[in-house]
Each structure stands twice: as structure tokens, then as C-alpha cells.
Amino acid sequence: MKPIILLIEDDPRIRRFLRASLVTQGYELIEAGTGREGLALAASRVPEVVLLDLGLPDMEGLEVIKQLRSWSEVPIIILSARGQERDKVANLDAGADDYLTKPFGMGELLARIRVALRRAAPAEEDKQEAFYSLGPIRVDVERRLVFRGPEEVHLTPIEYKLLSVLLKHRGKVVTHRQLLKEVWGPSYVEQNPYLRIFILNLRRKLEDDPARPQYLLTEPGVGYRLREA
């Protein structure tokens, strides 16, 4: 799966320029023209990096950073025409990871994105196994590929994120609230029906009999557990 970059920018000219550049570099770009749309996409698509303009039509970029940081550690790179030191300090203190002043060179932005992706990678001692097997299910963590037997299983970004959280806690019960918070964010912690739909989709793709799952198990009234290998 290509790394997902979320661009929150209201200027269509800049969006066109970045779209052409980032897609040719192997990234998947998703775009939002407002802060609220950007926050919704951050929750639903789970990007690896957020590129954020500060002058949005509906809210200040500073508020977007604060709301994102309330539930996500995704790297945030500011792209702004505001080059004064106080603007940089305020946004970095709020939780942004980097700050580029417009106009900027594409080479520099690509380098900053690569740095952000490296920093976001888990420390060596915290990494999951590079390859995980459970019955016919195999997950290549580094390449973010999932197989059932010899066939690759195509998961949506949310399905893969949900499976990743269960893998991280495999053998342990993960509560509904914890799953909803880690995958979608704190504003979704009461949305149990939403979670059930995605669990059902995962079972349909991974289990021999989704009605009698062997690996993705339900703990009634509590949450879900991925069986240990």
C-alpha cells in the first residue's frame, strides 16, 4: 500500500501542484479544502503524514492541530505563507512536527516527508514482527500486505488499521472503546455499530466461515480478540 498523505489546503492551485508532484513520487494523496473536512478524512483514512495550510476558510490551522493531537500522533507538516517566528513557534508548540514557508521547493518538501515517515516508524524495540502468520492468514507488516492462503486480500485503510491494532494486542481482549479510539479517534468511542460493520467485513475477508470465526473472536459485551498463533 502506498503511504497516504492528507493535504488540507484551500488553494486549488497549490493542491494541483502538490497532487502532480506527490502522486508521481509514489504517494497516495487525499485532499481537503477545509479544516473540518480534513479532520474527518484524518479519522476515516488514517494518513501517514498531514500537510496543513494555516489559513483555512472555516477554522485556523492551529485549531486543526489541537484537535488532531487530541487523538492522533500523525506527523503534521505546516505549509504556510506566514513566516514569522511567532507563528512557527505557536504551531510547533501546539503539536506540529515541521514548518515550511511558502513558496517552498518540492525537493525540500519531499525530504521533509521522508523524515516525518522515518520518525513515525516505531522504535526497533516497539516494532511488530515483520511477518505474522495465523492459520491461513499471513500479514507482511513492513509492506502492509495481507494474504489468505496464496491469495492477497485487499483491505481498506480502516480495515488494515483495525487489523493492525488487533495484531499489536494479539491474544488480549481489546475493548470496543479502545478499538474505536485507536482506529477512528475519541469522537467515535460510542459508535459500536460502526465497529461491528468493519469487524464483519474483516471476517468475511479472512475467515473460512465468518459466522463461526476461528481467529477474530468476540468477547461478548467487552470487545474483540485476535487469537494467538
Side-chain angles (χ1 to χ4, degrees):
M1 296 175 66
K2 299 177 181 179
I4 299 174
I5 308 294
L6 168 59
L7 173 62
I8 308 177
E9 166 67 68
D10 66 323
D11 188 329
R13 295 168 300 176
I14 295 176
R15 281 164 53 180
R16 281 196 299 271
F17 167 68
L18 291 177
R19 184 187 311 132
S21 302
L22 292 172
V23 170
T24 58
Q25 291 296 318
Y27 297 107
E28 178 181 348
L29 186 68
I30 52 177
E31 303 173 35
T34 67
R36 290 186 180 85
E37 183 184 1
L39 289 167
L41 282 173
S44 63
R45 296 297 307 277
V46 197
E48 274 77 21
V49 176
V50 172
L51 306 179
L52 174 64
D53 178 38
L54 296 179
L56 299 169
D58 60 335
M59 66 172 68
E60 278 293 312
L62 187 64
E63 180 60 26
V64 176
I65 295 170
K66 290 177 179 177
Q67 290 196 35
L68 264 177
R69 281 291 171 261
S70 71
W71 58 271
S72 174
E73 293 300 318
V74 62
I76 301 171
I77 301 175
I78 301 297
L79 308 177
S80 177
R82 303 175 192 174
Q84 295 188 5
E85 183 178 345
R86 65 172 179 270
D87 292 314
K88 295 181 180 180
V89 170
N91 286 279
L92 291 170
D93 280 345
D97 297 271
D98 206 344
Y99 197 112
L100 270 177
T101 303
K102 298 175 182 176
F104 51 83
M106 197 62 213
E108 183 177 7
L109 175 59
L110 289 170
R112 303 287 184 98
I113 290 173
R114 290 193 294 270
V115 169
L117 289 170
R118 286 198 299 270
R119 287 177 179 169
E124 196 66 37
E125 61 270 20
D126 295 329
K127 283 185 179 179
Q128 294 182 21
E129 300 169 15
F131 202 86
Y132 179 80
S133 295
L134 179 60
I137 303 166
R138 296 179 295 123
V139 181
D140 185 332
V141 176
E142 290 185 354
R143 295 193 298 157
R144 300 179 66 177
L145 298 176
V146 181
F147 299 87
R148 184 173 177 274
E151 301 295 326
E152 182 180 349
V153 178
H154 296 282
L155 302 184
T156 68
I158 286 290
E159 289 168 353
Y160 185 84
K161 178 66 172 178
L162 182 56
L163 180 61
S164 296
V165 173
L166 290 166
L167 275 172
K168 182 172 67 174
H169 302 287
R170 60 186 178 273
K172 301 178 182 178
V173 178
V174 187
T175 66
H176 299 128
R177 289 178 66 87
Q178 184 178 353
L179 279 169
L180 288 161
K181 184 177 181 180
E182 287 198 38
V183 178
W184 286 277
S187 59
Y188 288 80
V189 294
E190 303 298 334
Q191 300 296 323
N192 284 3
Y194 202 55
L195 176 59
R196 283 197 294 271
I197 291 170
F198 279 88
I199 290 289
L200 179 58
N201 289 341
L202 270 180
R203 283 174 172 162
R204 285 172 175 162
K205 293 181 178 183
L206 300 177
E207 298 275 2
D208 289 329
D209 184 354
R212 296 178 177 82
Q214 299 181 55
Y215 307 108
L216 212 170
L217 308 175
T218 298
E219 298 292 338
V222 180
Y224 298 95
R225 174 171 57 89
L226 192 66
R227 203 185 82 189
E228 280 276 28

